[in-house]
Amino acid sequence: MKKIRGMSAVCVALSLMAGGSALLAQKADKKAEVKRSKAEELDIAVLLKAVDTVEAGQAAATGTTVSWESNHFIRAQEGTTYVPFTVQLDKTKLTSPSAAVYVRVAKKGAAPPAPSKDSKDKEAPLYPWENVYFATVSPEGKVARAFQVPGGDYDVYIAVKDKGTVEKADKNYNPNVAILKKELSVPDFNAPELATSSVILATAIQPAATTALEDPYVFGPMQIVPSRDGKYKKMDSLEVVYWIYGVSGDTAGKPDVLIENTFNQKTAEGEKFFNKTQPQALNAQSLPPDFTAKSGPLPGTLQVPLTSFPPGDYRLEIKITDKAAGKTVTQNVAFTVLAS
C-alpha cells in the first residue's frame, strides 16, 4: 500500500525554498504601489480605515462574509515564521471576480501604534506585517495569501471588499466591507531543537504554474496544492509534505534521520492500527552527496495510494528520530477516506 516519493528528486529544492524563498510581499510590492490606480488607492483607504475602527474596539462589519479556513507554519528567513493562510468568502455577496484584501498582523494586546514623526523613518512599518492584495477569488470563494513574522501571539485582521471602480468617494459611496479578526499563536523555529513545520496534507506537489505572490504555497519552482478539508477519494493518493528543523550531523556532518509513518483507523470500538510504511532513512546514502546538516531543513514527503484504505477516518502518526542526537519528535495528522 505504500509509495514513498524519492527524496533525492525534491530534497534540495524544497529545503532551500523553505529556508530562503518565503514570500516577502512587503518588499515585493514596493514597485506595485506606485502603479496603483485611483480606484485601488480608494480601496486601500477604505480597508485601512475599516480595520483601524475594529482594532480600536468597534464591532466588525459583516457585509461580505469572510472566515478563516486554514493556515500553516514554516520556518523562514531572518528568524521569522512564514504563515500561508486561506480565507473563505461568501461569493453571493461579491459583485466582482476580484477582491481587495488587506492583511494586518498586530502583536496581541498591543495598543495601535502612532505614526512616526521622524522624517527619516517614514517607511518604518507600524505593524509586524501589513499588506494589500488585489486578488482573483477562486470559483469556490477562496483567497490564499501569506505573512511573515517572528514567533509570538498576534491578532490578524483580514478586510475584504469588491475590487472597486470608484475613483473618489462622495456621499453616495457606501462600499461593502467585511473584516475578520483571528487570534494566532505563531511558533518560533529558532531554537536548536528537533522540530517540524506544520504537516501539510496535499493533493499534489508539482511544478509551479504561478508565482508566490499569487499562491503562497509556491516555493521557487515547486507548488504544493494543499487539501482544504483532509478528505480524499479512494482513487486519490495521500500527499504529505513538511520540513524538519534542528537536525544534528553524524561524524561527517551528514544527517542521519529515520522517519516512521503509521496509519491508525478510527472505528466504533476505538482507534486501531491499520498499516505502516517502510521506515524512511534520510542519510548520506539517500540524500544528495553535498547535503549536510547545515544545508537547511530536511524535507519530509510521503505519497500513499488510498485504494487499500476502507472508507473512514484515520490518524497518520509521523515519528522522526535524529539518530545522531538520540532525539525524537512525533506529529499526528487526521484525514478521511470517502466512500465514493
Side-chain angles (χ1 to χ4, degrees), residues 44-201:
I44 294 170
V46 168
L47 294 175
L48 265 64
K49 182 178 179 180
V51 173
D52 286 344
T53 300
V54 172
E55 190 177 13
Q58 296 189 28
T62 57
T64 303
T65 302
V66 54
S67 59
W68 191 274
E69 182 179 271
S70 63
N71 66 270
H72 296 94
F73 301 114
I74 303 168
R75 191 175 76 182
Q77 294 174 320
E78 302 168 351
T80 60
T81 299
Y82 178 65
V83 187
F85 66 89
T86 303
V87 293
Q88 175 72 56
L89 309 181
D90 184 352
K91 287 201 72 174
T92 64
K93 296 181 180 180
L94 293 173
T95 60
S96 168
S98 298
V101 182
Y102 172 58
V103 180
R104 176 183 296 178
V105 184
K107 291 290 291 184
K108 186 173 177 57
S116 172
K117 295 182 180 180
D118 186 351
S119 60
K120 297 180 180 180
D121 197 32
K122 289 182 179 178
E123 294 190 5
L126 298 180
Y127 296 94
W129 184 274
E130 61 176 338
N131 208 351
V132 176
Y133 309 92
F134 294 94
T136 300
V137 181
S138 75
E140 299 80 20
K142 302 180 189 299
V143 172
R145 286 297 184 269
F147 58 86
Q148 193 166 311
V149 293
D153 295 328
Y154 295 92
D155 289 326
V156 182
Y157 298 89
I158 311 289
V160 182
K161 69 179 294 295
D162 279 309
K163 188 176 186 300
T165 58
V166 177
E167 296 186 353
K168 185 176 181 180
D170 58 28
K171 63 180 181 180
N172 297 316
Y173 183 61
N174 185 27
N176 191 8
V177 180
I179 301 177
L180 165 70
K181 179 182 177 182
K182 172 73 174 180
E183 296 180 359
L184 205 61
S185 293
V186 177
D188 184 350
F189 292 120
N190 292 303
E193 300 175 356
L194 186 65
T196 77
S197 68
S198 297
V199 177
I200 303 175
L201 286 180

Side-chain angles (χ1 to χ4, degrees), residues 214-280:
E214 293 298 325
D215 184 345
Y217 291 94
V218 168
F219 298 88
M222 303 282 293
Q223 180 180 23
I224 299 172
V225 182
S227 170
R228 300 305 184 189
D229 56 11
K231 296 180 180 179
Y232 295 83
K233 298 178 181 178
K234 285 179 64 65
M235 67 183 69
D236 295 335
S237 288
L238 176 71
E239 299 260 9
V240 177
V241 63
Y242 53 93
W243 288 268
I244 306 169
Y245 311 123
V247 173
S248 59
D250 59 17
T251 55
K254 300 288 187 178
D256 189 6
V257 172
L258 187 70
I259 302 176
E260 299 169 274
N261 301 294
T262 304
F263 293 93
N264 300 281
Q265 185 178 15
K266 298 178 182 180
T267 69
E269 294 75 31
E271 189 178 84
K272 66 178 183 179
F273 169 79
F274 175 69
N275 214 327
K276 63 181 180 180
T277 65
Q278 290 293 326
Q280 183 179 3

